[in-house]
Amino acid sequence: PDSLRDALKGIESLGFRGCVLDGPLRGQATPFMAGASPAATFSKAVDLVSCQKDGLFGHMTIGRGLVEAIRPHIDVAGSRVFLVGAGPAARAIALELALAQVKEIFIANRSAPHATSLLNDLRELPGVISTPLEWGPHLEVPSGVHLVVNATTSGIKPAFELSQLRPDLVVADLALLSHQSPILDAAMKAGASVVNGLDIRAEATAIDFQILTDIKPDTEMLREALDEFLAA
């Protein structure tokens, strides 16, 4: 983190097209951007940096990746979503879902101030209802919800369990694992459709690649490469 400013200057000096950021670096890079996409501005973070004539430009593509990954399973327009998390990734996802015209987003997060901040920002957007849910080790999926998204860093040992899972749900988990996450395991046992972190990351990586190169890649090939890397 202490070298991030120099590292970002370095990618410009070396003629890089850009770079991908993850973890806490995503939030720390925003002051060094000459411009930012709406998703990066809303999420207050950057997961892709592209070098442009006017300087570094920040993108946040994980939300678009999620929307693309769930597209074969559900049309989110007019749907209700239960979003677990309120960090940068959750904020980017919430914005993209709002732009996709979801009707309502329920939000639960361990940090109440972060949840309140996201709820308030969503209320500034037209056409979407944002509703808080109390955080706890057992989170109940509200009736009427069509899509559940775990956007927390919980992976092998999530800090919560989901109850009231149903066969008519689509459940997505950002956790990038070589095997199914416990949350998706529980969803599958309930008969729900699931979208894992590999699917989401492959779609986001395809978006990143196209931004940097203007070439649309083979998303399935990217997913297979990610799967092979994690299994190694």
Side-chain angles (χ1 to χ4, degrees), residues 8-85:
L8 292 172
K9 287 181 179 178
I11 70 166
E12 282 190 292
S13 299
L14 291 169
F16 285 19
R17 296 188 186 208
C19 69
V20 173
L21 300 175
D22 207 348
L25 295 180
R26 295 175 301 177
Q28 295 164 357
T30 53
F32 310 128
M33 299 295 109
S37 69
T41 302
F42 188 86
S43 62
K44 304 174 185 178
V46 169
D47 61 8
L48 175 70
V49 179
S50 62
C51 295
Q52 301 185 0
K53 291 181 180 179
D54 298 331
L56 300 177
F57 192 90
H59 309 261
M60 192 69 176
T61 61
I62 192 65
R64 288 172 57 194
L66 180 280
V67 170
E68 289 301 318
I70 65 174
R71 194 179 299 279
H73 303 274
I74 184 174
D75 179 2
V76 296
S79 68
R80 288 182 169 86
V81 181
F82 179 24
L83 177 62
V84 185

Side-chain angles (χ1 to χ4, degrees), residues 162-182:
L162 292 173
S163 62
Q164 301 302 315
L165 291 165
R166 310 183 305 271
D168 61 327
L169 287 171
V170 176
V171 182
D173 192 345
L174 263 63
L176 191 59
L177 304 171
S178 59
H179 55 278
Q180 209 75 287
S181 72

Side-chain angles (χ1 to χ4, degrees), residues 27-28 40 44 56 141-142 161 170 200 211 216 220:
Q28 295 164 357
K44 304 174 185 178
L56 300 177
V141 178
E161 292 181 355
V170 176
I200 298 165
I211 288 172
K216 185 174 177 61
E220 186 57 33

